[in-house]
Amino acid sequence: DDAGADMDMESMMGGDTGPEAGDDPSLVEIVEPKSLLEETILALQQLGIIIGVAIMVMFGFMVMVGVERLVEKMGEKYQAMTGKKQPEEKDPASLVGTFSRYK
């Protein structure tokens, strides 16, 4: 197999050879230009999709924040039930200039 080496560049590119014998010119679809109203409706539909995706992202972010707050509340309840307390974190600004922030 010579992998198509006997073909020239134009036949490989599929240049304009015109209609083939099996093509029926009556089956070619004629595209009519859209009116301004139709184009406006299509643009509004696309805008609606973009706004819908933005709302879904915001909703997902809010759910993520809600789940995080719920987990924090559950951790606080667990600490209250077991009596274990986590050490309080120091303010990062108060640690400036000291080596205790690296411990």
Side-chain angles (χ1 to χ4, degrees):
D1 185 26
D2 59 358
D6 59 339
M7 296 179 67
D8 60 346
M9 185 59 80
E10 287 146 9
S11 62
M12 290 191 327
M13 297 286 287
D16 290 336
T17 59
E20 295 182 13
D23 290 344
D24 187 7
S26 65
L27 297 178
V28 175
E29 183 179 336
I30 299 173
V31 179
E32 296 181 18
K34 293 186 169 133
S35 69
L36 184 62
L37 178 64
E38 291 173 330
E39 298 237 355
T40 303
I41 289 173
L42 288 174
L44 288 174
Q45 288 175 347
Q46 293 172 2
L47 179 65
I49 290 172
I50 291 170
I51 290 173
V53 169
I55 289 172
M56 285 187 344
V57 169
M58 287 189 306
F59 179 73
F61 178 75
M62 296 305 284
V63 166
M64 186 175 62
V65 169
V67 168
E68 182 180 0
R69 292 183 70 175
L70 178 68
V71 168
E72 286 178 4
K73 293 278 186 191
M74 288 173 51
E76 290 173 3
K77 294 275 185 187
Y78 176 75
Q79 288 176 359
M81 285 180 7
T82 59
K84 295 181 181 179
K85 297 280 183 186
Q86 284 186 340
E88 300 239 351
E89 294 181 14
K90 296 181 181 177
D91 182 31
S94 66
L95 298 175
V96 172
T98 64
F99 289 103
S100 63
R101 66 179 174 170
Y102 298 113
K103 291 182 181 179

